[in-house]
Amino acid sequence: MNSLYIAANIIKRTVGRGKSLLIFLMLPALVVSLVVALLGNNGMDARVAYINLDEGAFGEQLIDGLKASTGYSFHKLEKADALRNEVMDKKSKAGFVIPPDYTDRLLSGESPKIEWLELEVSGTGVLVKLKLNEQIGGMIRTYRLVDSQVAAPEEAESLLQQVLAEQRKNKIRAVVEDSGLHVNQAVSTSIGMLIMFIMTLVNSSVLTILDDRTNRTMQRMYTAPVRSYQITLGNFLGSLCLGTVQIGLILLFARYVLRFSFGVPLLWQWLILECFLLAALGISLAVAGIIRNRNNVATIQSLIVTPTCMLGGCFWPIEIMPDYMQKVANAVPQKWAIEAIKRLAQGEGLPQIAYHLGILGLFAILLLGFGSAVLRPSETETS
């Protein structure tokens, strides 16, 4: 309970005033809005229309696989004219027709031909076509594999249905190393801006902790009937809560007010940014522990935030930088957070970004441990 009181005090002193609330919570949302407006909004509720003429079971299996792998809304129609009007009126980004012999051709080992309709090239259309080819190719390869293991074709068809059902339950998964899909630049740039504001807010909360050390408030806290770990935990929770609120507000604002799609599930995106938040908190604590003068700490933290954000790809793609700078970028956590979100937006899953999350976790553990060790309550400000 004492830790919660300390955390609440940190939050109140950091963003309790109207000016601070505007800078740390409202300004980031406005900047993200500007990025979306300038670089383009790809639409959150991407809708795709389709007609399923297949007389077998695998046409519907194909639709289920597309829904699971893209997260888009698929609108079923019955007539070709309705499909054409749906796409021409831009109610749907694209449309396709599953032929009547889809299952038969699939079971004969042939690649079924899908009729595709699209008014203009879009990221939604590219992703759906990519996933269509993946789903069909996967079904064909799976059928050939199970057909080679059984004698009767009917048994192979039944076994294929079981395999596809298990895939939908995530018991059997296909690993995609790199889809090569282009990610909207607004995604990486808006995330980069958010990361920069996260670091700024964390720096401000750490400066509040530093004020306690400078004014000997922290010394008096340690003489009170409060355990040391409660004080440390309260300071940590206060900074963590501020960053979490900022992340949540901006992500929800971008998704449900601006209707901007990052191409990433909200929970996964939040998880990556929380891991980065811990790393950013570790950086700020480490700097505050080494530098005793408060004004110098604020200056040095500012000198760290901007260059590392530039190096980590917050303002422009890392790929346009020279090779040696791309290698140096591996030493900053911003690079790993942005790359993880971009990989998810390309259609990869959590197993493919486990390495990135591990790197961010390592940054957090090392820097938080070092910062906690060197941020001593007995130290006072030096000139």
Side-chain angles (χ1 to χ4, degrees):
M1 184 62 69
N2 292 326
S3 298
L4 297 181
Y5 287 132
I6 296 172
N9 183 54
I10 293 292
I11 294 172
K12 181 179 179 180
R13 292 165 59 194
T14 304
V15 296
R17 294 168 296 181
K19 182 179 179 181
S20 299
L21 189 65
L22 177 65
I23 293 175
F24 294 124
L25 297 181
M26 302 303 176
L27 183 60
L30 293 177
V31 172
V32 171
S33 303
L34 182 62
V35 170
V36 170
L38 292 177
L39 298 182
N41 191 337
N42 58 2
M44 182 171 178
D45 293 327
R47 175 164 140 163
V48 179
Y50 73 95
I51 298 176
N52 183 13
L53 302 177
D54 182 41
E55 298 176 355
F58 294 112
E60 202 60 39
Q61 295 268 10
L62 176 64
I63 300 300
D64 291 341
L66 291 174
K67 290 178 180 179
S69 60
T70 64
Y72 294 151
S73 173
F74 286 84
H75 181 49
K76 185 176 182 179
L77 299 173
E78 301 296 335
K79 296 183 180 180
D81 292 340
L83 177 67
R84 189 176 299 106
N85 293 334
E86 181 91 3
V87 176
M88 295 297 293
D89 294 340
K90 296 185 178 181
K91 295 180 180 179
S92 294
K93 293 286 187 179
F96 60 92
V97 180
I98 301 176
D101 60 346
Y102 176 83
T103 296
D104 294 337
R105 294 177 66 88
L106 188 71
L107 296 178
S108 64
E110 302 177 12
S111 179
K113 184 178 180 181
I114 303 295
E115 182 181 346
W116 182 261
L117 183 62
E118 189 175 16
L119 186 62
E120 56 186 17
V121 177
S122 65
T124 301
V126 172
L127 179 60
V128 173
K129 289 177 72 174
L130 175 68
K131 294 300 182 181
L132 266 174
N133 293 331
E134 286 183 1
Q135 293 285 334
I136 294 173
M139 285 184 177
I140 293 175
R141 289 190 295 271
T142 303
Y143 177 76
R144 289 173 178 171
L145 178 62
V146 298
D147 185 52
S148 64
Q149 305 297 320
V150 297
E154 295 80 7
E155 188 177 350
E157 180 178 352
S158 175
L159 186 57
L160 176 60
Q161 291 183 2
Q162 294 179 24
V163 171
L164 296 177
E166 294 301 316
Q167 285 179 340
R168 290 199 302 275
K169 297 176 183 178
N170 287 328
K171 292 183 178 180
I172 300 176
R173 300 189 60 182
V175 176
V176 180
E177 294 296 335
D178 185 7
S179 62
L181 184 66
H182 173 71
V183 178
N184 189 347
Q185 182 59 34
V187 172
S188 56
T189 305
S190 59
I191 291 298
M193 294 294 103
L194 175 55
I195 282 175
M196 184 183 68
F197 282 113
I198 289 173
M199 297 190 73
T200 303
L201 178 58
V202 167
N203 287 345
S204 180
S205 64
V206 171
L207 287 177
T208 302
I209 300 173
L210 194 59
D211 285 338
D212 290 341
R213 187 184 70 177
T214 302
N215 299 327
R216 298 186 182 275
T217 303
M218 189 176 292
Q219 287 183 346
R220 293 193 293 272
M221 291 172 63
Y222 273 89
T223 61
V226 181
R227 295 184 180 275
S228 299
Y229 79 87
Q230 292 178 329
I231 298 174
T232 304
L233 181 61
N235 290 326
F236 172 77
L237 289 178
S239 301
L240 184 65
C241 182
L242 282 171
T244 301
V245 170
Q246 186 185 57
I247 292 171
L249 285 178
I250 295 177
L251 291 184
L252 293 175
F253 181 82
R255 286 173 177 267
Y256 299 110
V257 177
L258 301 179
R259 312 299 292 175
F260 179 74
S261 174
F262 292 94
V264 180
L266 178 60
L267 183 60
W268 295 1
Q269 189 177 16
W270 175 83
L271 174 64
I272 294 170
L273 292 175
E274 281 293 310
C275 292
F276 173 79
L277 173 61
L278 293 174
L281 183 56
I283 293 174
S284 296
L285 285 175
V287 173
I290 296 174
I291 310 299
R292 297 185 183 182
N293 185 284
R294 185 191 187 282
N295 295 327
N296 291 342
V297 170
T299 302
I300 292 176
Q301 285 180 338
S302 299
L303 292 176
I304 289 176
V305 170
T306 303
T308 56
C309 284
M310 295 169 65
L311 192 62
C314 293
F315 306 138
W316 50 69
I318 292 180
E319 292 75 18
I320 69 173
M321 299 191 302
D323 290 340
Y324 73 93
M325 293 187 67
Q326 294 185 34
K327 294 178 180 179
V328 175
N330 292 323
V332 297
Q334 291 95 320
K335 184 255 187 183
W336 298 100
I338 293 175
E339 184 174 323
I341 292 177
K342 288 176 66 175
R343 282 179 173 270
L344 289 178
Q346 289 174 335
E348 299 185 14
L350 283 180
Q352 284 73 48
I353 65 165
Y355 179 73
H356 300 72
L357 295 179
I359 294 294
L360 289 174
L362 188 60
F363 270 113
I365 292 172
L366 294 178
L367 293 172
L368 283 173
F370 177 77
S372 300
V374 298
L375 189 62
R376 303 177 185 276
S378 60
E379 293 177 346
T380 57
E381 181 175 324
T382 59
S383 57

